[in-house]
Amino acid sequence: GAVVSQHPSRVICKSGTSVKIECRSLDFQATTMFWYRQFPKQSLMLMATSNEGSKATYEQGVEKDKFLINHASLTLSTLTVTSAHPEDSSFYICSFGLAGGNEQFFGPGTRLTVL
Amino acid sequence: GENVEQHPSTLSVQEGDSAVIKCTYSDSASNYFPWYKQELGKRPQLIIDIRSNVGEKKDQRIAVTLNKTAKHFSLHITETQPEDSAVYFCAASIPGGYQKVTFGTGTKLQVIP
């Protein structure tokens, strides 16, 4: 199956700082990408969706100015959590989709802890 | 938008018994229904999926059924093993350029040896 990497796997930061998470597809080019957030013992909640070359579409309740998404290329997407606060502590997971397909390929996730 | 409900939230079964997890979806346009297994701290792993033109699909001990009329789909795991213990999520996807997937709330399955 398709391989997706995500970096870093864990990050601890102080409140008010910004954190960047990278998501890369290693063996395929993806037209669509998704960023999810998962709080403990909860489901994956979609934050935003984007196609390469276009701006991300954010889900209701997700602040686009706080969660900056850059779909830089067909193999790289980044999520920057700006001015992070303790309530942003969560498990962030990216995924890529292929044109014409349904299956999504997930990254291993990033555990963000904001002190 | 799409809403996916999942039951039960927790499920304990004896090793060797069967486990059934049920989901309902709200948008009749959904046409792709994947099931994921997630172990603690790890990414969701696709275990089986079904498309709306199929009523049932089986892969070894795992099977999924779909009732489009009722907007209901289920996961069946037979001969459960301790390594089946995990959280399982159903999901539904609406066709279109973004293939957005909506996840169910999850079922924590515990298989008791």
Side-chain angles (χ1 to χ4, degrees):
Chain A
V3 179
V4 179
S5 69
Q6 198 170 330
H7 178 79
S9 57
R10 292 177 179 271
V11 58
I12 300 173
C13 69
K14 293 182 179 179
S15 185
T17 60
S18 294
V19 174
K20 179 185 281 189
I21 302 170
E22 289 190 352
C23 180
R24 293 180 184 273
S25 58
L26 301 183
D27 55 358
F28 68 100
Q29 293 185 326
T31 54
T32 308
M33 55 75 55
F34 307 88
W35 283 97
Y36 294 89
R37 179 169 55 183
Q38 185 177 33
F39 293 110
K41 297 185 179 181
Q42 293 188 23
S43 186
L44 283 77
M45 299 301 295
L46 182 65
M47 299 177 66
T49 305
S50 74
N51 274 352
E52 188 268 341
S54 62
K55 291 185 178 180
T57 301
Y58 290 80
E59 294 298 303
Q60 190 173 9
V62 178
E63 302 173 55
K64 62 179 182 180
D65 294 330
K66 180 173 179 63
F67 299 98
L68 303 180
I69 292 171
N70 184 7
H71 195 163
S73 71
L74 291 174
T75 60
L76 173 64
S77 177
T78 61
L79 168 67
T80 301
V81 183
T82 62
S83 186
H85 293 284
E87 57 266 31
D88 298 323
S89 298
S90 187
F91 193 50
Y92 292 85
I93 307 175
C94 66
S95 73
F96 284 98
L98 298 177
N102 291 112
E103 187 175 354
Q104 293 189 26
F105 303 97
F106 290 90
T110 296
R111 174 73 60 191
L112 170 64
T113 302
V114 184
L115 302 176
Chain B
E2 174 67 284
N3 181 46
V4 180
E5 296 189 355
Q6 183 171 348
H7 300 279
S9 56
T10 60
L11 179 60
S12 290
V13 299
Q14 290 292 135
E15 181 177 359
D17 287 350
S18 295
V20 179
I21 302 171
K22 299 182 178 182
C23 289
T24 59
Y25 61 99
S26 61
D27 195 328
S28 57
S30 291
N31 69 344
Y32 176 66
F33 306 91
W35 284 87
Y36 296 93
K37 176 183 180 182
Q38 188 181 31
E39 297 177 345
L40 189 63
K42 297 190 176 181
R43 79 186 88 190
Q45 298 274 7
L46 178 69
I47 56 172
I48 196 167
D49 56 13
I50 191 168
R51 288 173 169 75
S52 59
N53 59 346
V54 176
E56 184 174 355
K57 183 177 178 180
K58 187 175 182 180
D59 183 3
Q60 298 183 341
R61 296 186 297 111
I62 296 172
V64 59
T65 59
L66 171 65
N67 183 329
K68 284 178 58 180
T69 302
K71 288 187 276 187
H72 171 275
F73 58 116
S74 301
L75 177 72
H76 304 252
I77 306 174
T78 59
E79 301 173 30
T80 54
Q81 301 167 2
E83 50 265 39
D84 294 330
S85 297
V87 179
Y88 290 81
F89 292 98
C90 62
S93 177
I94 297 173
Y98 290 101
Q99 307 145 7
K100 192 165 82 171
V101 171
T102 302
F103 283 82
T105 48
T107 297
K108 184 175 182 179
L109 173 64
Q110 182 183 18
V111 179
I112 304 167

